[in-house]
Amino acid sequence: MDRRLVTGLRATAAALVFVTAAFHLWWGLPRSIIYLQAAEGFLLRGLPPDPRPFFFVAFAAILLAGPYLVTRRYVSLRNGYLAGMVLLAGSIGAWVFWHATGHGAFLVNGFDAPGGGAGHHGGSLLLLIADHFVTEPVESAIKTVEFLGVAAFVTLLWRDPAIIPDRGETGPTEAEAGETAEN
């Protein structure tokens, strides 16, 4: 794969990760603060708050840590690609799970809660997800961003010569080869 294409794909994957993290912070941080301010009331009544804001903030922090850890070489490029792919795919999976289980009804009454599965929409899981994708433009936009991020990471795992040197079509530049020979 051409070096410029790989660089562009890396930049695209990083941008998609940052957009995903920004969305999760935008949605989760204000709600987390409100829940923390009201935590005493929730604990006294025994009602759990919606856990998503806390998960969203933690997820955003993990996403933002990834590029930092890769650029500082604490995490290898291959592992960074794998982690990005798994995290973004996991976010899509968690979104499907949340909607398939009655928007958190399982938190109160277990998995036998009314509306569990695709029941509150009266159809299959595929129809449920399609309905949410069409009727919730912000959710559909962020899930599209996450899907594109997964595709970018899969492509990088498959084609990036930095992690698969024998499959790369481009070798080191002449300047890099000269630096290696001098050292």
Side-chain angles (χ1 to χ4, degrees):
M1 184 179 258
D2 181 60
R3 182 178 302 226
R4 289 184 309 201
L5 185 57
V6 169
T7 302
L9 196 53
R10 286 179 185 169
T12 300
L16 294 170
V17 165
F18 285 120
V19 167
T20 300
F23 166 78
H24 283 83
L25 278 177
W26 168 78
W27 192 90
L29 191 59
R31 288 166 177 83
S32 294
I33 292 169
I34 290 168
Y35 282 149
L36 287 174
Q37 291 172 342
E40 185 177 328
F42 285 120
L43 295 174
L44 292 175
R45 286 184 272 149
L47 297 174
D50 179 358
R52 292 177 302 159
F54 303 109
F55 289 136
F56 276 37
V57 171
F59 180 66
I62 291 168
L63 284 176
L64 292 173
Y68 175 82
L69 295 173
V70 169
T71 58
R72 300 299 183 264
R73 297 190 179 169
Y74 292 116
V75 174
S76 72
L77 198 54
R78 175 186 295 278
N79 288 340
Y81 292 163
L82 283 169
M85 180 185 65
V86 167
L87 286 169
L88 294 178
S91 177
I92 295 168
W95 179 75
V96 170
F97 176 77
W98 179 259
H99 291 292
T101 56
H103 300 167
F106 69 93
L107 291 173
V108 179
N109 298 323
F111 283 101
D112 293 331
H120 72 287
H121 288 271
S124 70
L125 179 61
L126 185 60
L127 290 175
L128 167 88
I129 298 308
D131 177 56
H132 280 281
F133 199 82
V134 170
T135 59
E136 297 290 337
V138 174
E139 287 182 21
S140 62
I142 198 62
K143 294 308 146 192
T144 301
V145 165
E146 290 170 353
F147 178 78
L148 292 172
V150 170
F153 284 123
V154 167
T155 303
L156 285 166
L157 277 167
W158 179 50
R159 300 292 296 180
D160 188 348
I163 62 172
I164 310 173
D166 57 328
R167 288 188 62 193
E169 289 116 21
T170 60
T173 64
E174 291 178 25
E176 291 171 341
E179 290 174 9
T180 306
E182 293 173 1
N183 295 333

